[in-house]
Amino acid sequence: MALIQHFQFLRPLWLLLLPVWWGLSIWLARRHATEGGWSQLIDSALLPSLRLAGGGKPAGSPWPWVAVAWTLATVALAGPSWQQVSSAAFRGNSTWLLVLDLSPSMLAKDVSPDRVTRARYALDDLLEAAQDTRVGLVAFSDEAYTVTPITDDVATIRTLLPSLTPGIMPSAGDNLAPALEQAGNLLKQGGVKNAQIVVLTDGFSDSTAAFPIAKKLQSQGISINVVGIGTQAGAPVSQQAGGFAQNGQGGLQLNRLDIAQLQQLATTGGGSYANLAQLPDLIQALKNRADHSKLATENKEMRLEHRLDGGIWLLPLLLLVAALLARRGWL
């Protein structure tokens, strides 16, 4: 009973061929019984005299054995399985924690169509490259918010990207330090010691608080990489209610990309800086760092079950039937 409960076919669609083989065998057997159709052309009284001398003993029919051979071959191809074995699960050892800037300045249009959209495109490229990599996502304005904790489900994170705009944040701001703190906490909770943080931003206003946190994370083996979103020429900051933001003198408020600040953050965090054009190089660098680390770690809490294909045990029977079909005069 235990064998029956665990029995199944790994490739059951092959079994659909069985009625075809059986029907073909029956048709060939009937055709053989009628002398290959000669009885329809030659008078039954003359047919015996036209046969070759064979001692008068009719030859056995091979078609039942042909049906058996076809059946054995089809069942073997269907992959009968009644045993399964377990093995330890392994996963990649790399983790990327992505930090997205959703401050109002990300609505600037100095890159087409705007900064936040280009940042989402960059996130999509990073997630597409995150094969066998655990990923988490944090967004920030004046405070930091966890979009997704560290997970293997990269596809789910990608479905959330279109909704990430400055408009979803409860209040405006541009503070990176809380986001770095939140990223460090997520990595600590996940038991991650060596990881890559990737910050996608056009700048931040709390340098005095952000740089010490970056240095602290770097000392813990966590590298901080930065992707600059925007241009040094800058652009007027759009307001969600319409129009552009103004400075204290009544002129247009321009938001320029402070490359020096972002490069200093990457240097302090032991990572790399890249603009949007250099993003493919940064992605390759992230993957290379993962390759030079331990490639996989055993997950002791999870084991993978896979079934053994028992079709190979039908091959000796199939060879035996094929040998019987080699009898002279049958085929």
Side-chain angles (χ1 to χ4, degrees):
M1 291 299 297
L3 179 63
I4 295 176
Q5 291 177 355
H6 292 286
F7 185 86
Q8 70 178 45
F9 287 98
L10 303 179
R11 299 172 294 274
L13 292 180
W14 279 101
L15 299 177
L16 297 176
L17 289 176
L18 288 178
V20 177
W21 300 141
W22 295 337
L24 183 60
S25 299
I26 293 174
W27 179 78
L28 290 173
R30 289 181 176 178
R31 186 171 182 273
H32 178 77
T34 58
E35 304 294 340
W38 285 111
S39 59
Q40 300 178 8
L41 302 175
I42 302 176
D43 189 271
S44 58
L46 297 176
L47 187 59
S49 61
L50 297 177
R51 290 175 178 162
L52 296 176
K57 185 178 180 180
S61 174
W63 305 116
W65 292 105
V66 171
V68 171
W70 284 344
T71 300
L72 289 173
T74 302
V75 172
L77 290 172
S81 176
W82 58 89
Q83 293 177 306
Q84 59 183 13
V85 295
S86 62
S87 60
F90 288 84
R91 67 184 181 189
N93 196 42
S94 57
T95 301
W96 297 352
L97 205 299
L98 309 177
V99 178
L100 175 62
D101 185 353
L102 290 182
S103 60
S105 61
M106 291 293 285
L107 294 173
K109 299 181 181 296
D110 53 343
V111 290
S112 180
D114 54 43
R115 292 180 180 181
V116 69
T117 302
R118 293 294 295 273
R120 291 199 303 265
Y121 292 164
L123 279 177
D124 190 67
D125 291 340
L126 284 162
L127 292 172
E128 185 177 2
Q131 300 177 357
D132 198 27
T133 300
R134 295 190 299 167
V135 180
L137 178 59
V138 172
F140 73 93
S141 56
D142 63 332
E143 296 291 339
Y145 302 90
T146 299
V147 180
T148 58
I150 297 174
T151 178
D152 297 317
D153 190 3
V154 175
T156 297
I157 302 179
R158 297 180 77 176
T159 61
L160 299 175
L161 296 184
S163 62
L164 299 179
T165 63
I168 68 172
M169 307 304 283
S171 57
D174 203 4
N175 298 324
L176 177 61
L180 295 179
E181 285 276 13
Q182 184 76 353
N185 291 335
L186 289 175
L187 294 171
K188 183 178 180 180
Q189 294 169 7
V192 180
K193 296 183 178 180
N194 297 308
Q196 302 287 332
I197 293 178
V198 182
V199 180
L200 298 96
T201 180
D202 60 356
F204 46 94
S205 59
D206 58 342
S207 300
T208 55
F211 287 140
I213 298 175
K215 185 64 176 179
K216 177 183 175 181
L217 292 173
Q218 192 272 338
S219 66
Q220 297 173 355
I222 300 172
S223 300
I224 299 178
N225 306 275
V226 182
V227 179
I229 310 295
T231 63
Q232 288 182 293
V237 179
S238 301
Q239 295 181 323
Q240 295 180 6
F244 298 100
Q246 295 182 343
N247 56 27
Q249 290 74 34
L252 292 178
Q253 178 182 339
L254 295 178
N255 186 276
R256 295 181 172 88
L257 185 66
D258 189 348
I259 296 180
Q261 181 195 50
L262 301 183
Q263 289 176 336
Q264 184 180 355
L265 175 64
T267 302
T268 304
S272 304
Y273 170 80
N275 56 35
L276 289 173
Q278 297 166 335
L279 181 62
D281 295 332
L282 176 61
I283 291 176
Q284 187 60 49
L286 294 174
K287 296 171 68 175
N288 290 340
R289 292 170 197 169
D291 292 339
H292 284 93
S293 64
K294 186 178 178 181
L295 293 180
T297 56
E298 183 176 350
N299 186 349
K300 297 181 179 179
E301 298 178 357
M302 182 184 299
R303 299 188 69 83
L304 299 177
E305 302 287 338
H306 62 275
R307 289 188 165 272
L308 298 179
D309 191 339
I312 191 173
W313 299 108
L314 296 177
L315 294 182
L317 292 176
L318 180 59
L319 292 174
L320 179 60
V321 174
L324 293 175
L325 288 173
R327 177 180 174 183
R328 184 178 180 182
W330 268 17
L331 294 178

